[in-house]
């Protein structure tokens, strides 16, 4: 996991995609032209700040645009229940204003009462980027100083590096036993040229994502850029695979796959709303006839045919909605305990148990309870939030190989001032055109600086800058001068706080002087 925005891959890649598709490559140089495609193509959900208690300004301003099941975290936050947030930093260069977005997201979650984890992805930096351990040590210290300087409380949270965290490595080993090479190939495009350490670093990142739940399962959010979504999806799958039981909906004694189950639900709902059908006396063969006669649901032909065959084979078996506990990894003792604790009517089969009196939520809670009592993890599927990539100050991608395109948190304040003064804008060709037609703040790197950093929590100020630009009242020269002064002030203050953070970092239980041996580093373009 890394908040570094897209960087050139050293091996592997992603499957080829059409010009209309978006490729999400955690180590690639992909750019995202249309964030809406992520909703359609990958199932990322649109973020709604109104559903979050006291949302962070990055949420309110749309910088955080998408999520996977963040409602679980928001609900825990609203109810003062335990929740966690974790993200990682790959120490391949100096921390910059792109990293600050994730620093801020983690710090905000800590301020809302969450258990917050910041990790140094040193195994990934060494295996995927070829960084030497000396380089990693130097940059790791710098990342953590900025993180603490911006407001992270190390006494209330946890900082660690992958290479020194033995419980993490043990968890990664267990996760690795549930994965195979074909998945790495399908998700990341890994092939015969991919080094084994790179694959190992991916499994470690899956363990990172689940690490906050080692002591206690809880809703956990991973704030990252959308290029890291493949890791989140893989970790959600890994969390489910490591559970003792899978809890699903069922309607008869035979098992269905997820697509068949969704189609059966559509069929049952349609029959239940039909006054001419008595669902209390519905048989599998009756449902098969209805499925064949009517266009129900939007499943593909193969799913329809397979469900129809199973229903016909079910014959006169009654259809009764129920909750099913499928045995995935449970010990015999855990399976027997679950049977004993399921209240009401139930039926035991060789590899599953059906309950007729529990709802899905009650069943899921019971399955997790029994699993934990029998030394299982009980992981909840991790959530995620995704922020937009910042545009480079020169108008293209932000890249560390183009110093003028980004601002490091270590830049001399005067240098930061000059970079903003020289930045591209969304302004018109002349001042007259700007006054007449207005500027284009949605296309302006300087406005992004206001929205994502310089205006901080002052929504009124950010809105005023936007409206004055779009209305033609604000000209680019004065706007950049104001932004440059604010950037200079921010860098001066931040670097003073970094000095103060050094003492706090000394008290943190993390080794920033690695004695590891390894191959020498290699320089690569690192987009930020």
């Amino acid at each position: 996991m890394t908040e570094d925005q897209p960087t050139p891959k050293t091996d592997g890649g992603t499957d080829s995609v059409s010009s209309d598709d978006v490729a999400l490559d955690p180590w690639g140089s992909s750019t995202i032209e249309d964030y809406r495609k992520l909703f359609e193509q990958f199932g990322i959900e649109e973020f709604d700040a109104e559903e979050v208690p006291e949302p962070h300004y990055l949420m309110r301003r749309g910088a955080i645009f998408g999520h996977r099941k963040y409602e679980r975290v928001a609900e825990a936050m609203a109810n003062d229940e335990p929740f966690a947030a974790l993200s990682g930093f790959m120490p391949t260069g100096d921390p910059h204003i792109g990293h600050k977005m994730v620093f801020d997201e983690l710090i905000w979650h800590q301020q809302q009462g969450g258990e917050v984890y910041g990790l140094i992805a040193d195994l990934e930096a060494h295996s995927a980027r070829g960084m030497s351990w000396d380089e990693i040590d130097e940059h790791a210290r710098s990342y953590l100083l900025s993180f603490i300087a911006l407001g992270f409380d190390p006494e209330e949270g946890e900082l660690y590096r992958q290479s020194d965290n033995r419980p993490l490595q043990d968890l990664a080993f267990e996760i690795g036993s549930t994965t195979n090479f074909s998945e790495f190939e399908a998700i990341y495009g890994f092939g015969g040229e991919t080094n084994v350490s790179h694959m190992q670093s991916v499994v470690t990142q899956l363990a990172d994502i689940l690490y906050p739940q080692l002591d206690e399962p809880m809703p956990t959010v991973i704030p990252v850029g959308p290029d890291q979504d493949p890791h989140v999806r893989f970790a959600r799958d890994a969390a489910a695979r490591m559970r003792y039981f899978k809890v699903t909906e069922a309607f008869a004694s035979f098992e269905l796959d997820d697509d068949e189950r969704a189609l059966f639900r559509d069929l049952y709902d349609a029959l239940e709303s039909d006054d001419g059908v008595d669902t209390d006396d519905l048989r599998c063969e009756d449902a098969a006839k209805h499925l064949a006669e009517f266009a129900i649901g939007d499943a593909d032909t193969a799913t329809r045919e397979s469900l129809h065959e199973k229903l016909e084979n079910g014959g006169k078996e009654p259809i009764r909605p129920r909750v099913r506990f499928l045995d995935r990894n449970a010990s015999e003792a855990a399976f027997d305990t679950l049977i004993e604790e399921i209240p009401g009517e139930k039926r035991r089969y060789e590899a599953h148990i059906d309950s007729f009196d529990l709802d899905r939520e009650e069943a899921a809670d019971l399955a997790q309870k029994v699993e934990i009592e029998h030394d299982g993890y009980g992981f909840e599927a991790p959530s995620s939030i995704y922020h937009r990539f910042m545009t480079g100050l020169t108008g293209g991608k932000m890249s560390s190989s183009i110093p003028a395109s980004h601002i490091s948190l270590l830049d001399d304040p005067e240098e930061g001032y000059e970079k903003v003064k020289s930045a591209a804008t969304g302004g018109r060709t002349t001042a007259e055109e700007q006054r007449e037609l207005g500027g284009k703040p949605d296309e302006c790197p300087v406005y992004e600086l206001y929205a994502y950093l310089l205006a901080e929590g002052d929504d009124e100020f950010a809105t005023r800058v936007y409206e004055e630009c779009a209305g033609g009242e604000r000209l680019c020269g004065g706007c950049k001068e104001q932004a440059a002064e604010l950037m200079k002030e921010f860098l001066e203050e931040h670097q003073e706080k970094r000095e103060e953070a050094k003492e706090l970092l000394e008290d943190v239980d993390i080794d920033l002087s690695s004695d590891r041996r390894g191959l020498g580093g290699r320089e690569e373009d690192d987009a930020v």
Side-chain angles (χ1 to χ4, degrees):
M1 181 192 336
T2 172
E3 163 47 19
D4 266 327
Q5 297 179 23
T7 53
K9 55 180 174 281
T10 56
D11 53 34
T14 54
D15 293 340
S16 59
V17 293
S18 74
S19 58
D20 293 331
D21 287 339
V22 178
L24 294 181
D25 181 355
W27 308 282
S29 54
S30 57
T31 57
I32 297 175
E33 302 289 340
D34 186 352
Y35 286 88
R36 290 171 298 181
K37 289 184 178 178
L38 299 179
F39 305 141
E40 304 163 8
Q41 195 173 330
F42 298 102
I44 292 174
E45 303 165 84
E46 189 169 359
F47 193 88
D48 184 357
E50 293 184 2
E51 297 180 2
V52 180
E54 301 179 14
H56 189 271
Y57 70 80
L58 291 173
M59 298 173 175
R60 300 195 300 267
R61 295 174 197 163
I64 295 173
F65 70 91
H67 73 103
R68 285 193 186 277
K69 304 303 178 184
Y70 185 72
E71 61 269 16
R72 287 284 296 114
V73 176
E75 180 182 349
M77 195 183 303
N79 295 328
D80 291 325
E81 296 171 351
F83 70 94
L86 172 144
S87 199
F89 314 107
M90 185 151 58
T92 56
D94 292 337
H96 50 68
I97 57 175
H99 295 116
K100 182 182 180 294
M101 295 174 68
V102 153
F103 289 152
D104 286 344
E105 291 169 55
L106 288 173
I107 291 164
W108 178 82
H109 281 95
Q110 186 178 58
Q111 293 168 345
Q112 305 311 304
E115 297 181 15
V116 172
Y117 300 76
L119 70 101
I120 297 298
D122 56 349
L123 294 181
E124 183 185 16
H126 186 65
S127 65
R129 303 291 178 82
M131 300 290 292
S132 73
W133 292 106
D134 286 342
E135 292 172 314
I136 288 170
D137 290 345
E138 177 186 352
H139 295 312
R141 180 180 297 276
S142 190
Y143 276 80
L144 297 181
L145 284 174
S146 281
F147 190 25
I148 293 171
L150 288 166
F152 174 74
D153 184 348
E155 293 185 355
E156 294 296 326
E158 180 176 341
L159 301 174
Y160 70 87
R161 55 189 300 167
Q162 293 172 324
S163 60
D164 288 342
N165 190 325
R166 183 54 193 261
L168 175 79
Q169 293 167 19
D170 290 344
L171 176 58
F173 183 84
E174 295 295 334
I175 293 173
S177 70
T178 71
T179 62
N180 56 63
F181 180 74
S182 63
E183 293 176 289
F184 290 85
E185 191 175 26
I187 296 170
Y188 304 108
F190 284 179
E193 75 284 359
T194 306
N195 69 68
V196 175
S197 291
H198 193 171
M199 288 187 281
Q200 181 184 359
S201 76
V202 172
V203 178
T204 304
Q205 289 173 80
L206 304 184
D208 285 324
I209 292 172
L210 299 179
Y211 179 73
Q213 300 189 61
L214 265 183
D215 292 333
E216 176 188 3
M218 68 180 73
T220 301
V221 61
I222 314 299
V224 285
D227 59 333
Q228 303 300 303
D229 183 60
H231 293 326
V232 174
R233 283 183 276 132
F234 203 175
R236 287 176 62 85
D237 288 344
R241 286 179 202 169
M242 297 183 75
R243 293 296 305 273
Y244 280 8
F245 306 100
K246 178 180 180 180
V247 178
T248 70
E249 175 178 57
F251 298 87
S253 62
F254 50 83
E255 186 52 35
L256 304 175
D257 66 27
D258 290 342
D259 292 334
E260 292 168 341
R261 193 177 299 111
L263 178 57
F264 205 153
R265 166 47 68 186
D266 290 338
L267 173 63
Y268 189 83
D269 288 345
L271 295 177
E272 197 172 34
S273 63
D274 188 335
D275 293 336
V277 177
D278 181 9
T279 53
D280 290 334
D281 192 33
L282 187 65
R283 309 285 170 160
C284 288
E285 60 186 13
D286 302 326
K289 292 177 183 177
H290 285 288
L291 181 63
E293 293 173 2
F294 301 104
I296 296 170
D298 57 0
D300 58 33
T301 301
T303 300
R304 286 181 173 279
E305 290 177 350
S306 62
L307 177 58
H308 185 268
E309 182 179 356
K310 290 180 179 180
L311 287 171
E312 282 194 324
N313 291 339
K316 295 188 179 297
E317 179 183 347
I319 290 175
R320 291 182 64 193
R322 66 200 72 180
V323 173
R324 175 161 294 163
F325 299 84
L326 291 162
D327 182 359
R328 274 186 157 165
N329 303 294
S331 63
E332 185 176 345
F335 194 74
D336 290 341
T337 299
L338 181 64
I339 294 170
E340 292 174 6
E341 296 205 11
I342 294 174
E345 184 183 356
K346 56 196 167 189
R347 290 182 186 171
R348 175 177 181 169
Y349 299 84
E350 183 177 352
H352 69 263
I353 310 164
D354 286 351
S355 167
F356 295 89
D357 294 327
L358 291 175
D359 61 31
R360 283 283 296 277
E361 185 176 350
E362 291 170 335
D365 289 344
L366 177 59
Q368 186 182 57
K369 170 180 172 290
V370 170
E371 178 175 346
I372 293 169
E373 288 175 352
H374 287 79
D375 300 323
Y377 293 108
F379 289 135
E380 295 197 16
S383 305
S384 52
I385 51 177
Y386 302 103
H387 57 259
R388 298 175 185 271
F389 294 137
M390 292 189 74
T391 307
L393 297 178
T394 51
K397 289 188 303 180
M398 237 182 223
S399 172
S400 60
S401 65
I402 307 174
S405 74
H406 74 280
I407 293 176
S408 164
L409 297 180
L410 277 62
D411 275 348
D412 182 275
E414 287 293 341
E415 183 180 1
Y417 173 92
E418 293 298 333
K419 284 182 178 181
V420 176
K421 287 284 288 182
S422 302
T425 70
R428 304 290 178 172
T429 306
T430 65
E432 289 72 24
E433 284 186 17
Q434 179 91 348
R435 293 189 180 96
E436 180 181 351
L437 302 175
K440 302 176 183 178
D442 291 317
E443 302 175 14
C444 181
V446 176
Y447 174 70
E448 277 190 17
L449 291 178
Y450 281 106
Y452 296 178
L453 190 156
L454 301 176
E456 297 184 325
D458 191 342
D459 289 345
E460 184 179 336
F461 176 41
T463 300
R464 185 167 68 250
V465 171
Y466 184 96
E467 292 178 346
E468 287 178 355
C469 173
E473 303 169 54
R474 177 174 283 255
L475 301 183
C476 294
C479 186
K480 288 205 289 187
E481 174 64 30
Q482 184 181 26
E485 287 289 351
L486 290 172
M487 181 62 73
K488 179 181 175 182
E489 292 173 10
F490 164 74
L491 290 173
E492 288 173 345
E493 180 180 353
H494 179 67
Q495 289 165 21
E496 288 176 5
K497 289 182 177 179
R498 276 174 58 93
E499 290 299 315
E500 298 170 6
K502 289 180 179 178
E503 185 174 346
L504 293 174
L505 185 57
E506 288 298 318
D507 294 332
V508 175
D509 184 18
I510 185 170
D511 185 1
L512 298 175
S513 299
S514 174
D515 57 0
R516 284 173 170 260
R517 294 181 180 182
L519 301 178
R522 60 181 182 270
E523 292 187 4
E524 299 180 30
D525 176 30
D526 183 18
V528 295

